[in-house]
Amino acid sequence: MMQQLYRLLKTIILVLLLTLSLINVNILGQNIDKSTTEFPDAMKPYNWRLSLGYASIKMPTDVYLEAAAARFPLIKFAAVMGLPSNFLLDGKINTELVTNQFELGARWVYAIDNNLHLDVGYSFAYLYGQLKQFNYDSKINGWFSYPSAALGYDFGNIALTFRGGLSFINSLQSTSGTTTVDFAVARANGFYYRITIEQRFYKTTTVGIGFQMNYVKFYYPEWLMFPTFDRKYWIPELQIMFSI
């Protein structure tokens, strides 16, 4: 398992370096122009930043073999709005047709100096999923919470952000056919960490590439497998996003 993760991480690093090298040919020396959504950057109150992206997820083999018939692309939409006193309102919609997660939270940003910033935040998310194809007749809904913290550095034309967070299941209800199951409330689900590079792409837009590692028992894009596996898994995730 660790060898597979190591090979995957080497591939991701190579892709990151190659992508940024190609981008730098045309935009070297230009400032990122404060159009990032992941970097912990204070914004003018009520200004908006939007991004649209995609996530590629590497599920463990035993989970993937059972869920393969029901896998769809995970599309990610994010919106950040500035608030007074260096607060940010942070919203996300993650969807893969049969799975939809709506997340809303707030972050507080602190600038250690002109380049090094940090933030701390807390968000709540609502999950709704339903599938009645591929021999499934299932649906799920529930609430989650995600405390997080980030440290970011602005290099001028590149912003690098390290973010880590915890995952809690506040409530969860699953239905299969006519059988409905309520799961435990306030359950610790695991944690994640993410490394994101955001760079100027075109005019005031940016492109972001992130690598996220999840260590969780229940991973919402694969809710059809819960609670078949009563253990935690390492689940790597590659994210690509564009500010719009």
Side-chain angles (χ1 to χ4, degrees):
M1 178 64 178
M2 293 307 297
Q3 290 180 345
Q4 294 176 347
L5 291 177
Y6 177 68
R7 288 195 297 269
L8 177 63
L9 182 57
K10 288 197 299 183
T11 302
I12 290 172
I13 292 174
L14 179 62
V15 171
L16 287 173
L17 293 176
L18 179 60
T19 302
L20 292 174
S21 297
L22 293 173
I23 294 173
N24 269 328
V25 170
N26 295 321
I27 64 173
L28 186 62
Q30 298 183 26
N31 192 273
I32 199 166
D33 201 29
K34 306 301 182 182
S35 56
T36 59
T37 56
E38 179 66 15
F39 179 71
D41 178 38
M43 299 170 53
K44 291 183 179 180
Y46 314 114
N47 279 3
W48 286 89
R49 296 177 187 172
L50 307 174
S51 72
L52 183 64
Y54 166 82
S56 177
I57 302 164
K58 175 64 176 177
M59 295 299 297
T61 302
D62 51 354
V63 177
Y64 177 81
L65 289 178
E66 291 198 29
R71 292 179 62 83
F72 296 91
L74 182 62
I75 305 300
K76 305 172 77 71
F77 174 78
V80 181
M81 185 181 75
L83 296 175
S85 302
N86 291 343
F87 281 92
L88 301 175
L89 185 65
D90 194 358
K92 297 182 178 68
I93 299 175
N94 302 320
T95 180
E96 54 174 6
L97 302 181
V98 299
T99 305
N100 303 279
Q101 188 186 62
F102 307 92
E103 184 177 345
L104 183 65
R107 291 184 273 154
W108 178 74
V109 178
Y110 177 74
I112 299 173
D113 58 32
N114 289 336
N115 304 102
L116 186 63
H117 297 184
L118 61 82
D119 74 28
V120 291
Y122 202 99
S123 62
F124 293 95
Y126 176 72
L127 169 68
Y128 178 79
Q130 184 173 10
L131 181 63
K132 293 188 177 182
Q133 292 83 28
F134 308 109
N135 297 319
Y136 285 98
D137 183 12
S138 303
K139 63 180 180 180
I140 196 168
N141 65 86
W143 289 92
F144 296 76
S145 55
Y146 302 105
S148 67
L151 184 67
Y153 194 89
D154 184 356
F155 291 91
N157 64 318
I158 296 176
L160 179 65
T161 305
F162 298 86
R163 182 174 300 278
L166 301 175
S167 171
F168 293 94
I169 301 175
N170 300 329
S171 65
L172 196 63
Q173 185 182 76
S174 177
T175 301
S176 181
T178 58
T179 303
T180 298
V181 179
D182 286 303
F183 297 97
V185 176
R187 166 188 264 175
N189 187 44
F191 66 88
Y192 69 90
Y193 61 85
R194 179 168 66 244
I195 303 172
T196 305
I197 297 175
E198 295 173 285
Q199 171 143 14
R200 183 78 167 271
F201 181 66
Y202 178 71
K203 293 185 177 180
T204 59
T205 64
T206 62
V207 58
I209 302 176
F211 173 74
Q212 178 168 314
M213 183 63 80
N214 307 280
Y215 184 64
V216 292
K217 179 180 291 187
F218 172 62
Y219 191 51
Y220 74 89
E222 299 297 338
W223 60 272
L224 289 164
M225 294 298 98
F226 185 77
T228 304
F229 302 98
D230 190 20
R231 53 164 293 186
K232 291 180 180 179
Y233 286 99
W234 287 104
I235 304 174
E237 180 177 335
L238 180 64
Q239 302 175 353
I240 301 175
M241 66 206 79
F242 294 88
S243 64
I244 55 178

